[in-house]
Each structure stands twice: as structure tokens, then as C-alpha cells.
């Protein structure tokens, strides 16, 4: 306001009077006004910076990267996340890797994986909405939660999500109503040997007989029988767990073929371990066991995996202040 209403008009008026030349005087007045303007702007910027600069807090420790944050906070090494994805994709004989978003839904983690070429699996519509903000096509996403709110199904279907897991007749009817014509893959209950630190079976999944019935019923409801999936349990340290589950899928594929149904996808789930305090098997051991089991299938569908902690757990450091010991 000072520049526009006072300094600049005055300088461009006085210039020609003092110098005796209209053009030269106006130009000189403009230059003088510019100098005054930038001097005032620099002073204002410095005063603003001093007012906004936070006062150092003696209770806030320095972070590992020498910046200061209040605890607790999580530092994620995104390069390590990407390396973990590439190592897993190279070690497993699968066609696609779909990161389980619920494991760590930070947008920076999701963006790094998306740019590296990783796919995604969601358990809810809000997770799908997050992925859409970074440019992920819903048609490429797996919705693997076998028990979904109807609203989540409807919203996911509206934006173009095409593939959904099921393990009940009720879920099939829900999909037929809110996502008509979509592809369904049935969740099998894996017979898991000891070795999972965090067992996840028991809540979800059905036996092979009921899985067969569900895929036949999907056709009657106007849905597309698309695939089969299972989960051997989180932090699984016994690679042979996948062999037993894949063999069970093989028997289901054979029986479905007799009924005229050929599945397009086998999703071998997650459960691949991260290294915490104890050592875990090399990824190559999982790749060998899974590859041998896939070779025993009556035919080879597209094979997908849904890792979670295996991609992000070793890339993070949680920092917390110690109040006392």
C-alpha cells in the first residue's frame, strides 16, 4: 500500500522535475521506487521470520536425521521400502505383488511403492480412496477383506474396483446387489502348521467344499467366478505352509474344471516375515517352496501375493522419549 499509494507516485513525479527530462525522470523514479519497495519487503520478511520461528523446546530431542520433532515419531526409509518390494517380487514366483495398505497407510509409503510398480490390496473403501489420491487405478486393486460393509462395496464399485474376496453366501448376495457383475475370489481356510507368530486363520475362510459351492453360486447371482485366496498367518517362518495351501487350491481347481469353471487368479496372501529380534528364513526359501507347489497345479492362473510387514517393518524406526526406568 505504501508503494502503490505514496512512494511510487511521488518518485515518478519528482524524477522528471529534478532531472528535467520526462522519460529519464520517470525511469529514474521507477528504479528508486523499486529499491525502496524491496528494502521494505526484506525488512518485513525478516521481522516475520523472527516472530514465527519456534522457540527451542528442551524437552524435544534431536531426531536421527538431526531435525527436531516431538516424540513419539516414526522415521521411514522409503528407499528401503522399495528395495524390500523389489527383493520380494524377484524371490517369489508370482505375477503381481499387491501391498496390504492396512499395514502402513502413510501416503509417502504408498507413493513410493506405486512409483516402483507395486500393486495394492485394501480392506476398506477409505484405503481405496487414499490410493486414488496418488493416481492408483481402482481396477488394479484387490479388495480382499471377505466381510465388507455394504456401503464400502457400493462406493468401491462406483469408482471402478472390480475384484472382491468372499467367504459366505451373504457376502455373495451383498456383492450381487451393490457391485453387480464383478469378479469374486473365494477365501479358503488354510491348514496352517505351527510357525506363525500372529495366527490369523479361524476368523476368515471356508473349506474347499463350501468354496466350490460359493463359486458356483456366484455364477447364478450374475457374478464372475474369478479366483481363490488364502492366508497362512502373519510372520510365518515355515515356507511349507504355502505348499499345503496351494495343494488344496489345486484340488479345488480340478473340481471346478469339471463344472466348466476355470479360475483366472490365485492369491497366495501375505504372511511373509520381517526380521525383528530373531532370524527368519531367506526369501529364496519361500520362492522355492511356492514355485514347486505352483508347478503341481492342474493349470497356472495369474498368481498374486499380498505382503504387508515384509515390505515396511524393517524400514521404520519408532522413536519415543523415555520418561523413567
Amino acid at each position: 500500500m505504501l508503494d502503490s499509494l505514496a512512494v511510487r507516485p511521488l518518485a515518478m513525479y519528482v524524477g522528471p522535475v529534478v532531472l528535467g527530462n520526462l522519460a529519464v525522470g520517470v525511469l529514474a523514479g521507477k528504479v528508486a521506487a523499486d529499491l525502496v519497495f524491496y528494502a521494505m519487503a526484506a525488512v518485513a520478511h525478516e521481522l516475520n521470520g523472527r516472530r514465527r520461528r519456534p522457540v527451542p523446546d528442551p524437552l524435544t530431542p534431536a531426531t536421527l536425521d538431526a531435525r527436531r520433532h516431538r516424540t513419539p515419531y516414526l522415521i521411514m526409509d522409503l528407499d528401503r521400502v522399495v528395495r524390500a518390494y523389489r527383493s520380494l517380487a524377484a524371490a517369489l514366483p508370482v505375477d503381481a505383488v499387491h501391498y496390504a495398505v492396512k499395514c502402513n497407510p502413510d501416503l509417502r509409503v504408498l507413493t513410493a511403492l506405486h512409483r516402483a510398480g507395486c500393486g495394492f490390496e485394501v480392506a476398506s473403501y477409505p484405503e481405496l480412496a487414499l490410493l486414488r489420491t496418488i493416481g492408483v487405478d481402482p481396477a488394479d486393486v484387490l479388495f480382499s477383506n471377505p466381510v465388507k460393509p455394504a456401503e464400502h462395496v457400493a462406493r468401491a464399485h462406483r469408482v471402478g474396483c472390480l475384484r472382491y474376496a468372499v467367504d459366505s453366501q451373504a457376502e455373495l448376495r451383498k456383492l450381487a446387489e451393490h457391485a453387480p457383475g464383478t469378479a469374486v475370489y473365494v477365501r479358503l481356510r488354510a491348514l496352517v502348521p505351527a510357525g506363525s507368530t500372529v495366527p490369523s486363520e479361524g476368523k476368515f475362510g471356508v473349506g474347499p467344499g463350501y468354496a466350490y459351492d460359493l463359486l458356483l453360486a456366484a455364477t447364478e447371482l450374475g457374478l464372475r467366478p474369478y479366483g481363490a485366496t488364502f492366508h497362512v498367518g502373519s510372520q510365518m517362518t515355515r515356507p511349507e505352509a504355502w505348499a499345503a495351501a496351494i495343494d488344496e487350491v489345486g484340488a479345488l481347481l480340478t473340481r471346478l474344471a469339471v463344472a466348466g469353471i476355470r479360475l483366472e487368479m490365485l492369491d497366495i496372501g501375505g504372511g511373509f516375515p520381517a526380521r525383528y529380534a530373531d532370524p527368519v528364513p531367506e526369501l529364496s526359501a519361500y520362492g522355492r517352496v511356492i514355485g514347486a507347489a505352483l508347478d503341481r497345479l492342474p493349470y497356472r492362473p495369474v498368481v498374486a501375493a499380498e505382503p504387508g510387514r515384509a515390505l515396511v517393518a524393517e524400514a521404520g524406526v519408532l522413536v519415543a522419549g523415555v520418561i523413567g526406568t
Side-chain angles (χ1 to χ4, degrees):
M1 289 177 64
L2 283 172
D3 175 72
S4 299
L5 301 179
V7 175
R8 193 165 299 273
L10 180 62
M12 295 177 72
Y13 171 77
V14 171
V17 173
V18 171
L19 297 177
N21 184 292
L22 178 63
V24 174
V26 169
L27 182 62
K30 178 184 182 306
V31 171
D34 287 343
L35 291 173
V36 173
F37 173 82
Y38 286 112
M40 290 190 296
V43 171
H45 179 75
E46 182 61 26
L47 292 175
N48 247 355
R50 288 181 181 178
R51 186 171 69 250
R52 293 175 180 172
R53 194 170 297 138
V55 177
D57 182 353
L59 296 179
T60 306
T63 69
L64 298 180
D65 59 1
R67 291 180 296 175
R68 299 174 72 83
H69 300 280
R70 288 189 177 276
T71 58
Y73 56 84
L74 178 67
I75 294 178
M76 292 296 296
D77 183 341
L78 298 180
D79 290 336
R80 190 160 183 173
V81 171
V82 171
R83 288 198 301 272
Y85 156 66
R86 289 176 175 157
S87 296
L88 188 76
L92 299 182
V94 300
D95 303 296
V97 173
H98 293 259
Y99 170 65
V101 173
K102 62 180 175 291
C103 192
N104 184 329
D106 188 279
L107 273 176
R108 289 158 292 190
V109 171
L110 301 179
T111 300
L113 287 170
H114 179 46
R115 288 174 177 170
C118 186
F120 297 94
E121 176 272 326
V122 299
S124 67
Y125 176 77
E127 292 174 11
L128 181 61
L130 265 181
L131 294 175
R132 294 184 69 206
T133 66
I134 61 171
V136 175
D137 185 351
D140 297 330
V141 176
L142 298 176
F143 202 142
S144 289
N145 185 350
V147 182
K148 301 169 284 296
E151 181 188 2
H152 288 213
V153 172
R155 295 176 75 182
H157 178 61
R158 279 198 298 270
V159 299
C161 187
L162 304 174
R163 297 173 289 180
Y164 302 83
V166 298
D167 69 353
S168 69
Q169 293 281 353
E171 200 70 16
L172 278 179
R173 291 191 295 271
K174 188 186 303 178
L175 287 168
E177 179 180 355
H178 298 285
T182 51
V184 298
Y185 49 108
V186 67
R187 171 80 171 256
L188 287 161
R189 182 183 297 117
L191 301 175
V192 182
S196 172
T197 306
V198 190
S200 63
E201 286 309 306
K203 295 183 297 182
F204 302 120
V206 296
Y210 193 35
Y212 174 85
D213 293 339
L214 286 174
L215 290 169
L216 260 59
T219 303
E220 297 170 3
L221 290 169
L223 301 168
R224 181 157 62 99
Y226 179 72
T229 185
F230 57 82
H231 196 290
V232 298
S234 297
Q235 194 68 8
M236 173 55 74
T237 56
R238 296 186 62 181
E240 59 269 25
W242 277 267
I246 292 171
D247 286 343
E248 192 169 66
V249 171
L252 176 63
L253 295 182
T254 299
R255 189 179 176 196
L256 286 167
V258 174
I261 294 176
R262 185 180 177 92
L263 297 185
E264 299 176 44
M265 183 189 74
L266 168 57
D267 181 349
I268 64 173
F272 304 99
R275 186 179 295 102
Y276 294 114
D278 300 320
V280 297
E282 294 294 326
L283 286 174
S284 57
Y286 292 88
R288 286 192 299 271
V289 171
I290 291 170
L294 291 174
D295 289 341
R296 295 192 294 270
L297 292 175
Y299 60 88
R300 175 75 177 258
V302 171
V303 180
E306 298 180 2
R309 74 179 72 224
L311 301 192
V312 295
E314 295 180 42
V317 176
L318 183 65
V319 183
V322 178
I323 297 171
T325 58

